[in-house]
């Protein structure tokens, strides 16, 4: 019995330790990020694979987008990841920017008319729906839209349903996300989509206090995935987001 106990102790001590856990706030922005058991969206799948390659175990946290942004930007937060984080001037000092994952084009969706510029949209639409906690709100403010024109909505298909009912004049958001929502509500041909307006690069971000070793290992894993074609293969699964 003593020998058996000693053998078990040796085996246990020789076993590799579990990977260190990294918390990652996943903001739901389909198809970039999806909170589904087998897939996490284009950005989610790429980043989770990078986390594992870097030798960590992801601990996914899903809360409303505004809350995720606030929690990760908190001064006492450390070594906490967030995706998909659009890089904006006002966000620059609040986070650690590890690496860009994908370029996101935005546009105006409307049942009334197609526009081709922010100036045209500003005079054409009285009430524009924008998802809370997204870069779209900051972009419209930057482009001179009045607060009374901007109607903050929950993320999801409800915004385009409001558009179809005439409760808003337009919805502004990522073109890929809007197309997916139109398909989900069986209205892909009933809405005019503007030219791409207000693109951003969406990043893997981290809290302002973030271990440089974590940053380097994750950036290296993402670079490796670009080089070996893994990231490209994941992007192709979700389609072209730069339409």
């Amino acid at each position: 019995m003593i020998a058996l106990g000693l053998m078990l102790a040796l085996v246990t001590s020789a076993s590799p330790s579990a990977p260190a856990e990294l918390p990652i706030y996943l903001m739901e922005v389909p198809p970039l990020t999806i909170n589904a058991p087998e897939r996490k969206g284009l950005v989610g799948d790429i980043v989770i694979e990078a986390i594992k390659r870097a030798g960590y175990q992801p601990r996914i946290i899903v809360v409303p987008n505004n809350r995720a942004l606030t929690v990760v930007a908190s001064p006492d937060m450390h070594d906490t990841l967030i995706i998909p984080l659009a890089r904006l001037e006002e966000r620059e000092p609040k986070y650690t920017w590890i690496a860009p994952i994908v370029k996101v084009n935005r546009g105006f969706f409307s049942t009334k008319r197609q526009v081709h510029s922010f100036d045209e949209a500003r005079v054409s639409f009285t009430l524009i729906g924008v998802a809370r906690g997204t870069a779209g709100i900051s972009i419209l403010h930057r482009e001179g839209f009045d607060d009374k024109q901007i109607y903050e909505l929950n993320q999801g298909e409800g915004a385009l349903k409001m558009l179809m009912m005439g409760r808003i004049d337009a919805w502004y958001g990522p073109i890929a996300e809007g197309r997916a929502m139109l398909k989900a509500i069986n209205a892909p041909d009933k809405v005019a989509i503007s030219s791409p307006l207000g693109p951003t690069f969406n990043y893997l971000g981290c809290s302002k206090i973030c271990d440089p070793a974590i940053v380097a290992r994750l950036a290296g894993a993402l670079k490796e995935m670009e080089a070996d074609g893994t990231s490209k293969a994941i992007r192709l699964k979700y389609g072209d987001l730069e339409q």
Side-chain angles (χ1 to χ4, degrees), residues 47-202:
V47 168
I48 288 169
E49 173 63 21
I51 291 171
K52 292 176 180 178
R53 286 195 185 195
Y56 303 103
Q57 179 63 37
R59 176 166 61 87
I60 298 170
I61 304 165
V62 180
V63 296
N65 292 359
N66 270 343
R67 184 178 170 194
L69 290 164
T70 301
V71 168
V72 179
S74 174
D76 58 352
M77 188 61 67
H78 60 88
D79 301 338
T80 301
L81 306 176
I82 183 170
I83 55 172
L85 191 64
R87 193 163 190 171
L88 303 171
E89 184 178 352
E90 60 267 32
R91 291 178 179 174
E92 193 71 27
K94 298 179 181 180
Y95 304 93
T96 299
W97 303 89
I98 295 177
I101 308 298
V102 68
K103 180 182 177 182
V104 175
N105 281 319
R106 291 175 179 78
F108 292 91
F109 290 66
S110 178
T111 57
K112 296 184 175 182
R113 60 176 297 179
Q114 184 183 43
V115 298
H116 301 283
S117 68
F118 283 115
D119 289 339
E120 193 177 351
R122 200 181 304 110
V123 299
S124 299
F125 305 135
T126 302
L127 196 61
I128 302 166
V130 189
R132 290 186 182 91
T134 63
I137 295 170
S138 297
I139 293 169
L140 292 185
H141 280 141
R142 184 187 70 203
E143 294 295 334
F145 287 78
D146 190 278
D147 284 342
K148 294 179 181 178
Q149 287 180 279
I150 301 172
Y151 185 31
E152 295 188 32
L153 301 165
N154 291 330
Q155 193 90 27
E157 299 164 12
L160 290 188
K161 290 179 181 177
M162 288 181 65
L163 177 65
M164 302 302 293
M165 292 186 290
R167 294 174 61 187
I168 55 176
D169 300 309
W171 176 79
Y172 179 70
I175 291 176
E177 180 185 3
R179 290 186 190 278
M181 290 194 298
L182 286 174
K183 185 176 180 180
I185 63 173
N186 296 314
D189 302 317
K190 298 178 181 178
V191 175
I193 306 173
S194 75
S195 304
L197 298 167
T200 59
F201 281 96
N202 281 37

